[in-house]
Amino acid sequence: MVGALIKHELRRTWRWLLLTAALATVAVAISYLAAVLLPAPLNGFFAGLGIVVAVAMPFAVQLLLGLEFYRSSYSRTGYFTHSLPVRGRTVFFAKFGYSSVVAIVFLLLGLALAFVAFTGSLVAQGATAAEVWRGARQGLDQILAATPSWVAVVLIGMALLFPVAGLAHYFFAASVGSEGWINRMGFGGVVLVWVLYYLANQVVAAVGLFLPLNAVVDSGSLTMSTDPLIVLQGDTLDALIPFGAFAMILALAAVAIWRAAVSVDRKVELR
């Protein structure tokens, strides 16, 4: 049944997902060509526009996936969804799992397009594409040489989980914001829960900054700090990696995923 649910999600979303990817790719390609061929200041404008498109696309896809979850679960289509002979928890995790894979794919696509757009921006400033690629390779080699392998693995893992955390925000708002205690507000209840989650996310991230889980980069070396106030010394350090803040955000997302699954499983009230 899970396979059938995922296949249904794919059928409902693949067209607009493919269109989004195609439009973003075309927009970044045009911005790159404009940066190479047009005179200043037009080349810089189009290069910057390409960066905006590349960076915004993954976040836009997360939002659209959240809206799609709301539409398919709590609008008229929701009656069909919740009439399926399967537990609501199963339906939720099938939808959320599919959306998580899509969000990660679009994050990787966005990063690739952002690099192309950034290359166009540097070309507009007088560099060549070959110089940019060479500089990127050298910079990556330096980062890998100075960063312990476990830090690189943790950072990559957290980066891949952040789109999932973004989806948790939207899925939590859609499900909890449609429960009986608030659904008289209609979609306004979803927006209100989204705002409350956003505020909670900012609070836990701020608390996480003071956990002894910060990596300090200073004078070319990386060490873990147990000083809860090291974040206040950030202007004197080369860089600070706030693992504590990242961990708290992901922990809140995990709680939100669990609570949203409970909501879909036990607290569905369609209007």
Side-chain angles (χ1 to χ4, degrees), residues 89-172:
R89 185 185 299 269
T90 302
V91 173
F92 172 82
F93 280 112
K95 289 176 175 289
F96 188 79
Y98 167 80
S99 297
S100 296
V101 172
V102 170
I104 292 172
V105 169
F106 272 83
L107 170 67
L108 297 176
L109 176 61
L111 290 174
L113 293 178
F115 180 73
V116 173
F118 183 68
T119 300
S121 176
L122 293 180
V123 170
Q125 298 175 35
T128 65
E131 291 172 346
V132 175
W133 282 85
R134 184 167 56 252
R137 287 196 301 270
Q138 292 173 350
L140 181 61
D141 290 341
Q142 292 174 358
I143 292 174
L144 293 177
T147 305
S149 57
W150 71 268
V151 174
V153 171
V154 170
L155 286 176
I156 292 173
M158 285 185 167
L160 293 178
L161 286 176
F162 262 83
V164 180
L167 284 175
H169 192 164
Y170 294 121
F171 277 56
F172 176 83

Side-chain angles (χ1 to χ4, degrees), residues 180-200:
W181 63 276
I182 197 174
N183 71 3
R184 292 182 181 179
M185 294 178 62
F187 192 72
V190 176
V191 175
L192 176 59
V193 173
W194 183 91
V195 171
L196 293 175
Y197 185 101
Y198 174 82
L199 295 175

Side-chain angles (χ1 to χ4, degrees), residues 207-261:
V207 171
L209 289 174
F210 295 95
L211 296 178
L213 294 174
N214 294 310
V216 178
V217 181
D218 197 20
S219 301
S221 62
L222 185 145
T223 58
M224 292 299 297
S225 172
T226 58
D227 182 1
L229 300 180
I230 190 69
V231 66
L232 302 179
Q233 305 171 27
D235 56 345
T236 66
L237 305 171
D238 292 341
L240 185 69
I241 305 175
F243 284 121
F246 297 156
M248 290 292 286
I249 290 172
L250 294 177
L252 179 63
V255 173
I257 293 168
W258 166 79
R259 181 60 178 82

